[in-house]
Amino acid sequence: MPHDPDPPPAKKFKPGSVFFRSDYNKPGMLLPRKGNATTPIDIQRKQLPIYQAKPQLLNQLRQLHNAILIGETGSGKTTQIPQYLYESGIGRQGIIAITQPRRVAAISLAGRVAEEKRTQLGKLVGYTVRFEDVTSWETKLKFVTDGMLLREAIGDPLLLRYTVVILDEAHERTVHTDVLFGVVKTAQRRRRELNKIPLKVIVMSATMDVDLFSEYFNKSPVLYLEGRQHPIQIYYTKQPQSDYLQAALVSVFQIHQEAPPSHDILVFMTGQEEIEALARTCRDIAKHLPDGCGPMVVIPLYASLPPAQQLRVFQPAPKGSRKVILSTNIAETSVTISGIKYVIDTGMVKAKRFNPDSGLEVLAVQQVSKAQAWQRAGRAGREDSGSCYRLYTEQEFDNFIPMTVPEIQRCNLAGVMLQLMALGIPDVMNFDFMSKPSPEAIRSAVEHLELLGAVEKKEGQVLLTALGKKMASFPLEPRYARTILLSTDFSCSEEILSIVSLLSVNSVLYSPPARREEVLAARKKFTSSEGDHMTLLNIYRAFKKVSGNKDWCRENFINSRNMVLVKEVQAQLKEICLKLNLKLESCGANTGNIRRCLAHGMFAKPAYVVFNELLQTSHCYMRDLCLVDADWLLDAAPEYFGRKLHPVKR
DNA sequence: GAGCACTGC
């Protein structure tokens, strides 16, 4: 069956990685249709594919309590459906919420819809994300991150302010979306039982595999919307590739030698190190290309890159040059780059898993799912038709798992379980998850919460303690929340608030490997013999002393963006502490108190150090260590350490 | 002496 009707752009560079063609036959595709920036906004709205379906769509949505909506990128579903509902009076008694997994999406979508409604953002149309609430009493269409709506549900489990909740990007299956599924389903049922205004739930997905959604929401009907995705030609390798990096390199230069220079290439890879290595190799080879082959601009893209360098992916390459972007899966959803004509998919991704027995997190390279491979391919067809070169055979693709395992089945559930309890869910052990986590993962999470004193078991029931209730009010991992709550006992709440803020954002340290010596020299100034936490605290204090000066950050290899985030988190945590009447005080030079407090909050592993993270990559790592005394640990959790340190012989 | 995908409250 496989044949080779249309060989790849070139095979001059190195034979052996020839692709053959397969038809891109995902449903719901339209031929290219160009948008027009000068078209008035209400005409633009009517040109969207969804506009044709508006009457039937509203008819259906008016009657249904639940609906699943499949719409591809460009269908206009996210911006139009909330407006259609509002304009036709559906859900007028309350607010229509549209959830998004990402902050930027919530913010920009709200901006777009406000513009279409010709109103000021924050009036009829608004958004709520962490640290930012642009809504008012007038707001009827509210874009919100799923995590934010979940937090809101702790104060109002029936979501009574809302008449419609639209869960967008549901196919991504973030932990927050998954928990929300259960929360809205419960709220719907309870509101019916209590004779309150009904809650309409619309689940929106960009992929076809929605049986689970439909099944979960009482076999609710599935509605289809045409998108504006352009055709994408898929190519597979004829033979399995033993070295996907080598295969990627060959493919980049094959395309480079044949395709017009204005056609940019996006390569999906797994991480910073291999991206930087391949970038160097590409640049070296590009210097020695035959005549007639244009120059190449190679741009790495991954999340830990400083913002200024991330922005380079949006700059067009100089005329006659080709842009080649080497990216992690950040370009799958979070960063959208225009002008991509070719996608090269290595078929690999780095993903985190959690082992509930050992408490060990594993970050490892693995194969992508089919859904993820389609998502990657789709990045080539955003403005025009494109091509996707898969560095694996069609048989290999057939053996990929259909969908990425939902995050809720891969992560530490301690925070999720605590949140469910705070929501007043009666039987958390048997919560109605759409995709159930393993019983071990649930049990391990509840045990962890028990050790932290957040829950207690009574007559087979798991109950939230007063401490647990306070812990749930912090937007933090439970152990961090507990550490803060304990800090008043050690008179060091000021310091602990700073340290927990530092630990709860991505690293504030920026360490370009090429400048290793300089980095070490700069860091030395802040290093504390008492451990990483104290070092971080030193850095934070120095940062505040210079009022967050950006030059200072650059000179000291500090990531200023993350540092600003630390400040915002710290302010938020402080506010919560004040609401809980927690005394804020500093321990001054008595740093032993800080470490003692850390030991009490984060004791969950071997004695003598407490750590921030236990992670397995090529080796097993403990990150962010802090020296503690063994008897502090025994003092913190006598039962736990009595068992772990002196195992009973049988 | 080597290292860490991506979000979010």
Side-chain angles (χ1 to χ4, degrees):
Chain A
M1 173 76 167
H3 56 299
D4 194 357
D6 186 11
K11 31 188 176 175
K12 284 179 202 159
F13 191 75
K14 187 184 170 191
S17 58
V18 180
F19 300 91
F20 67 82
R21 179 178 156 163
S22 161
D23 283 326
Y24 184 70
N25 55 0
K26 285 182 81 188
M29 289 202 324
L30 287 180
L31 288 173
R33 204 194 305 179
K34 285 263 181 279
N36 187 343
T38 58
T39 314
I41 211 155
D42 33 359
I43 309 278
Q44 275 182 45
R45 280 188 70 191
K46 289 179 184 164
Q47 284 174 345
L48 284 166
I50 192 176
Y51 184 73
Q52 306 297 326
K54 184 176 173 182
Q56 302 114 283
L57 203 57
L58 278 173
N59 241 338
Q60 298 249 35
L61 291 180
R62 197 184 296 275
Q63 293 162 25
L64 296 167
H65 288 297
N66 297 103
I68 317 294
L69 231 141
I70 300 177
E72 296 210 356
T73 335
S75 64
K77 63 183 190 305
T78 310
T79 54
Q80 301 310 300
I81 286 180
Q83 295 186 67
Y84 291 175
L85 293 172
Y86 176 76
E87 287 159 9
S88 64
I90 298 175
R92 272 283 175 110
Q93 310 98 307
I95 301 171
I96 299 172
I98 310 96
T99 71
Q100 293 293 320
R102 283 167 294 279
R103 291 166 54 93
V104 274
I107 297 169
S108 63
L109 286 164
R112 172 70 197 180
V113 171
E115 197 185 322
E116 290 188 4
K117 296 299 298 175
R118 299 175 200 285
T119 94
Q120 202 187 327
L121 191 58
K123 293 199 161 171
L124 175 67
V125 185
Y127 67 88
T128 307
V129 298
R130 190 181 189 183
F131 308 127
E132 236 185 310
D133 181 12
V134 186
T135 61
S136 63
W137 61 270
E138 289 174 86
T139 303
K140 292 287 178 189
L141 301 179
K142 176 166 147 181
F143 288 84
V144 58
T145 44
D146 45 19
M148 202 67 212
L149 189 63
L150 204 52
R151 195 137 280 277
E152 219 180 279
I154 293 180
D156 174 19
L158 298 187
L159 296 166
L160 287 168
R161 302 169 61 203
Y162 303 95
T163 44
V164 183
V165 172
I166 301 175
L167 302 166
D168 197 13
E169 310 282 13
H171 59 279
E172 290 190 25
R173 303 296 303 273
T174 69
V175 186
H176 289 151
T177 311
D178 264 32
V179 177
L180 269 181
F181 287 143
V183 169
V184 294
K185 189 177 174 182
T186 309
Q188 238 179 350
R189 196 194 60 233
R190 289 289 294 148
R191 277 162 70 158
R192 205 175 307 131
E193 287 166 3
L194 297 169
N195 264 328
K196 307 265 187 200
I197 296 171
L199 177 66
K200 202 184 280 294
V201 175
I202 302 172
V203 177
M204 300 215 259
S205 170
T207 59
M208 301 295 292
D209 36 51
V210 293
D211 292 355
L212 254 182
F213 299 147
S214 172
E215 197 61 38
Y216 184 77
F217 286 105
N218 315 307
K219 300 203 189 316
S220 71
V222 178
L223 315 174
Y224 297 83
L225 285 172
E226 275 196 331
R228 229 182 225 176
Q229 180 68 278
H230 302 283
I232 294 162
Q233 197 69 64
I234 304 289
Y235 299 92
Y236 295 92
T237 59
K238 279 182 164 178
Q239 302 293 328
Q241 303 293 306
S242 58
D243 181 348
Y244 66 81
L245 291 174
Q246 176 66 20
L249 181 70
V250 170
S251 311
V252 164
F253 282 97
Q254 282 191 355
I255 295 170
H256 183 57
Q257 294 195 313
E258 286 291 309
S262 61
H263 290 177
D264 296 339
I265 304 174
L266 171 62
V267 189
F268 282 103
M269 304 173 54
T270 71
Q272 170 174 356
E273 195 178 349
E274 66 178 30
I275 285 174
E276 292 293 356
L278 192 67
R280 273 195 302 275
T281 313
C282 284
R283 287 177 193 132
D284 284 347
I285 294 175
K287 282 182 206 150
H288 310 290
L289 283 176
D291 292 344
C293 204
M296 176 188 281
V297 182
V298 185
I299 304 168
L301 176 65
Y302 44 86
S304 64
L305 222 48
Q309 287 192 50
Q310 275 190 16
L311 290 177
R312 288 183 57 210
V313 300
F314 300 112
Q315 292 165 4
K319 207 161 166 55
S321 300
R322 180 188 322 282
K323 189 157 76 171
V324 178
I325 296 162
L326 309 181
S327 173
T328 61
N329 45 351
I330 192 173
E332 266 172 35
T333 48
S334 305
V335 175
T336 301
I337 307 148
S338 60
I340 299 296
K341 191 76 175 176
Y342 296 97
V343 161
I344 297 173
D345 178 15
T346 60
M348 306 304 274
V349 66
K350 214 178 269 186
K352 214 178 213 175
R353 286 191 304 269
F354 177 70
N355 180 338
D357 295 327
S358 59
L360 189 69
E361 290 183 313
V362 180
L363 186 63
V365 172
Q366 58 184 56
Q367 275 182 339
V368 298
S369 64
K370 283 184 183 148
Q372 209 170 356
W374 286 119
Q375 175 71 26
R376 289 179 171 190
R379 297 318 236 181
R382 295 196 58 88
E383 295 96 9
D384 202 348
S385 58
S387 304
C388 174
Y389 292 84
R390 292 181 165 165
L391 304 181
Y392 38 88
T393 65
E394 192 162 20
Q395 285 71 31
E396 286 178 290
F397 174 76
D398 287 339
N399 287 322
F400 284 3
I401 53 168
M403 287 181 347
T404 310
V405 177
E407 200 184 353
I408 197 137
Q409 294 181 330
R410 292 185 285 122
C411 73
N412 180 351
L413 291 175
V416 169
M417 298 313 282
L418 182 63
Q419 212 155 15
L420 289 179
M421 309 261 297
L423 279 159
I425 306 282
D427 184 9
V428 285
M429 301 294 275
N430 296 300
F431 183 68
D432 181 17
F433 287 109
M434 184 182 290
S435 303
K436 279 205 188 319
S438 72
E440 294 78 51
I442 294 178
R443 208 179 318 120
S444 143
V446 171
E447 259 171 41
H448 181 76
L449 289 174
E450 216 179 341
L451 280 169
L452 291 175
V455 306
E456 55 190 3
K457 285 198 181 120
K458 264 189 192 157
E459 292 151 15
Q461 284 280 345
V462 185
L463 302 171
L464 192 65
T465 63
L467 177 68
K469 195 166 181 209
K470 283 185 189 168
M471 280 166 62
S473 56
F474 289 94
L476 293 169
E477 281 180 45
R479 62 203 170 113
Y480 292 152
R482 159 149 154 155
T483 309
I484 290 177
L485 289 166
L486 282 170
S487 64
T488 49
D489 294 352
F490 300 94
S491 317
C492 60
S493 45
E494 295 272 10
E495 286 83 0
I496 289 293
L497 275 185
S498 300
I499 290 174
V500 164
S501 307
L502 283 154
L503 294 178
S504 70
V505 309
N506 287 334
S507 181
V508 296
L509 309 176
Y510 171 60
S511 317
R515 302 173 65 185
R516 206 170 145 261
E517 296 301 316
E518 290 169 78
V519 172
L520 286 176
R523 208 134 294 161
K524 220 171 187 167
K525 286 180 280 185
F526 309 106
T527 304
S528 160
S529 58
E530 290 176 277
D532 299 330
H533 298 73
M534 305 308 296
T535 302
L536 283 174
L537 186 61
N538 288 341
I539 292 174
Y540 186 57
R541 283 176 170 160
F543 171 83
K544 288 218 289 205
K545 207 173 234 169
V546 298
S547 319
N549 182 296
K550 282 216 174 124
D551 293 327
W552 180 89
C553 288
R554 206 170 308 120
E555 285 160 23
N556 289 286
F557 297 96
I558 303 299
N559 182 325
S560 65
R561 175 183 44 172
N562 286 346
M563 213 52 162
V564 169
L565 193 59
V566 170
K567 246 181 95 178
E568 286 180 316
V569 172
Q570 207 240 18
Q572 187 188 28
L573 299 181
K574 202 173 219 171
E575 212 171 286
I576 296 168
C577 285
L578 291 175
K579 275 191 193 139
L580 294 175
N581 285 320
L582 245 62
K583 196 171 170 197
L584 295 177
E585 57 185 328
S586 164
C587 59
N590 196 355
T591 51
N593 280 20
I594 301 175
R595 291 183 291 120
R596 195 181 285 246
C597 178
L598 289 171
H600 269 79
M602 308 193 203
F603 56 76
K605 278 282 152 185
Y608 304 113
V609 292
V610 291
F611 58 88
N612 180 36
E613 193 174 28
L614 198 57
L615 185 78
Q616 182 179 328
T617 56
S618 54
H619 296 97
C620 204
Y621 287 93
M622 270 186 190
R623 296 178 50 205
D624 298 326
L625 303 183
C626 178
L627 288 172
V628 294
D629 282 2
D631 53 337
W632 296 352
L633 296 171
L634 265 171
D635 190 23
E639 203 191 317
Y640 180 75
F641 285 108
R643 183 155 41 92
K644 290 265 166 168
L645 300 178
H646 315 287
V648 183
K649 278 223 172 106
R650 325 179 36 130

